[in-house]
């Protein structure tokens, strides 16, 4: 890459440098109880061979061995870069788990911690300026420019740490009712800017394995926003919704109505809220440090990392 073929006496062109990765994600073999049900390639050897083939043509990608033999650390130019690879592998029949995206830190010559920053440009209607500015400012963003044209459209430019941009796309779309357009590009490495508050809500975690019932969903939906609907197969440790408060909450969405209650409640009508549908991008943006995304050719699920001790959970 970047080499020049030339005649004698000519000057070579400047070498092209491939940008260094800024984000890494962990790839594991599927750790869920449903492992092997839906995928064609499920072993660590299959995953390693596929990642090695990807390195031959994806120059900005790097793959490093993980803590165990069935774990691989994939480094890329942002979460989207790695998510495209994940979606491609999923469609090819691979089944695996991925961890949350993490930024790659560096140190300068004085030992000071540096982190990657990106320039974010948001095009949005003038009435949503305040919501966008507040979101990016809360994520340690520094405003560079704000221009409003004669049609009421505003272009807002911020310099934001890459950590702050993880999960911000959905937040901006929600705050602007889907009207904002967000573009980002790598700006450089700058001094670490401190902790950033990310997700405020905890997760609703399935308490036992089974099929979701409408009877159990009716009480569980009062605790937050659900990801599943009646009939969906769930397992213990699977994330089935967003808790309306901080901390995780265990819920039993597979609980069946006792046979003795059939006659007394036969006229009762159960009204369920529409569950929130999550794409692969949504799942990657949502998960926190103790959660993983289970990726199969058929399903995308979120689960608590079985290798980590889960604290602060209450039963419902």
């Amino acid at each position: 890459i970047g080499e020049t073929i030339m005649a004698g006496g000519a000057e070579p062109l400047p070498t092209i440098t491939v940008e260094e990765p800024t984000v890494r994600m962990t790839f594991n073999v599927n750790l869920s109880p449903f492992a092997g049900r839906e995928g064609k390639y499920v072993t660590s050897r299959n995953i390693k061979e596929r990642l090695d083939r990807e390195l031959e043509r994806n120059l900005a990608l790097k793959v490093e061995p993980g803590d165990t033999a069935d774990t691989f650390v994939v480094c890329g130019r942002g979460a989207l870069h790695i998510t495209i690879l994940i979606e491609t592998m999923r469609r090819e029949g691979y089944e695996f788990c991925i961890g949350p995206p993490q930024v790659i830190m560096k140190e300068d010559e004085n030992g000071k911690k540096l982190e990657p920053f990106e320039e974010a440009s948001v095009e949005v209607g003038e009435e949503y300026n305040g919501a966008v500015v507040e979101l990016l400012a809360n994520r340690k963003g520094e405003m560079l420019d704000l221009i409003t044209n004669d049609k009421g459209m505003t272009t807002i430019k911020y310099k934001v740490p890459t950590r702050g941009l993880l999960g911000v796309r959905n937040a901006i779309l929600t705050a602007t009712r889907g009207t904002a357009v967000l573009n980002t590009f790598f700006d450089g490495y700058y001094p670490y800017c401190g902790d950033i508050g990310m997700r405020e809500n905890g997760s609703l975690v399935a308490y036992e394995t089974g099929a979701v019932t409408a009877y159990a969903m009716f009480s569980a939906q009062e605790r937050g926003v659900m990801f599943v609907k009646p009939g969906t197969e769930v397992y213990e440790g699977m994330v089935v919704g967003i808790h309306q408060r901080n901390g995780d909450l265990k819920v039993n969405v597979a609980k069946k109505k006792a046979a003795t209650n059939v006659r007394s409640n036969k006229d009762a009508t159960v009204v369920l809220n529409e569950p929130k549908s999550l794409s692969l991008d949504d799942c990657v943006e949502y998960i926190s440090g103790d959660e993983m995304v289970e990726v199969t050719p058929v399903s995308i699920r979120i689960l608590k990392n079985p290798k980590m001790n889960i604290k602060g959970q209450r039963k419902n």
Side-chain angles (χ1 to χ4, degrees):
I1 296 296
E3 293 182 351
T4 305
I5 300 175
M6 57 185 183
E11 289 293 325
L13 295 172
T15 305
I16 298 173
T17 57
V18 179
E19 292 182 351
E20 290 292 313
T22 57
V23 174
R24 62 168 173 258
M25 294 174 70
T26 303
F27 283 46
N28 289 274
V29 295
N30 195 349
L31 302 174
S32 84
F34 291 175
R37 287 191 181 187
E38 300 169 351
K40 183 179 178 182
Y41 307 106
V42 298
T43 65
S44 59
R45 182 176 59 83
N46 294 144
I47 297 171
K48 184 179 187 307
E49 289 176 354
R50 178 62 181 82
L51 292 175
D52 288 341
R53 287 204 309 273
E54 186 69 21
L55 290 175
E56 294 176 2
R57 59 179 183 272
N58 199 334
L59 300 174
L61 201 73
K62 289 187 178 179
V63 179
E64 303 168 355
D67 298 333
T68 59
D70 57 1
T71 305
F72 309 95
V73 179
V74 179
C75 308
R77 282 283 301 108
L80 179 62
H81 181 202
I82 305 176
T83 305
I84 291 171
L85 169 62
I86 295 168
E87 179 64 26
T88 303
M89 291 176 63
R90 185 176 83 88
R91 296 183 182 187
E92 292 174 358
Y94 287 84
E95 180 180 308
F96 52 97
C97 282
I98 55 172
Q102 298 174 324
V103 298
I104 299 173
M105 301 288 189
K106 288 185 177 181
E107 289 187 355
D108 61 11
E109 58 274 7
N110 299 321
K112 193 174 182 179
K113 187 190 292 186
L114 304 177
E115 66 173 323
F117 276 69
E118 299 188 32
E119 185 174 311
S121 174
V122 184
E123 295 179 18
V124 69
E126 192 174 1
E127 64 271 24
Y128 297 117
N129 284 359
V132 173
V133 168
E134 182 181 1
L135 268 172
L136 295 177
N138 289 341
R139 292 170 180 254
K140 305 287 186 181
E142 176 188 341
M143 183 180 286
L144 302 176
D145 200 2
L146 191 151
I147 303 173
T148 304
N149 62 21
D150 54 0
K151 296 180 181 178
M153 292 297 293
T154 302
T155 301
I156 306 171
K157 292 185 179 180
Y158 264 82
K159 186 172 82 170
V160 191
T162 301
R163 285 183 301 131
L165 290 175
L166 298 175
V168 79
R169 193 177 301 272
N170 277 347
I172 286 180
L173 288 175
T174 301
T176 62
R177 300 190 178 185
T179 59
V181 178
L182 171 66
N183 295 296
T184 62
F185 65 88
F186 180 66
D187 187 37
Y189 273 84
Y190 298 95
Y192 180 73
C193 62
D195 294 334
I196 298 176
M198 303 296 283
R199 201 177 84 190
E200 297 179 356
N201 299 76
S203 297
L204 297 176
V205 185
Y207 175 56
E208 66 177 32
T209 302
V212 177
T213 64
Y215 172 71
M217 278 275 291
F218 183 67
S219 59
Q221 70 183 6
E222 298 176 359
R223 305 289 185 173
V225 180
M226 306 302 294
F227 296 154
V228 294
K229 57 186 178 181
T232 305
E233 290 286 334
V234 299
Y235 50 80
E236 182 182 356
M238 177 175 162
V239 175
V240 295
I242 305 173
H243 191 200
Q244 60 190 5
R245 299 180 182 177
N246 289 334
D248 298 332
L249 177 69
K250 283 191 173 183
V251 293
N252 189 357
V253 291
K255 182 168 59 177
K256 296 180 181 178
K257 186 191 294 186
T260 53
N261 291 337
V262 172
R263 242 179 297 177
S264 61
N265 294 325
K266 78 173 184 180
D267 294 328
T269 303
V270 176
V271 180
L272 299 178
N273 299 331
E274 186 68 22
K276 182 180 177 68
S277 178
L278 294 181
S279 66
L280 176 60
D281 288 331
D282 296 332
C283 291
V284 170
E285 290 185 355
Y286 174 79
I287 56 176
S288 60
D290 65 341
E291 294 168 345
M292 307 183 79
V293 180
E294 178 190 358
V295 181
T296 78
V298 179
S299 309
I300 298 173
R301 309 181 186 95
I302 301 175
L303 70 150
K304 287 293 176 179
N305 190 340
K307 294 182 178 180
M308 299 179 67
N309 292 325
I310 304 172
K311 297 179 180 179
Q313 286 191 341
R314 294 178 290 125
K315 293 182 183 178
N316 180 31

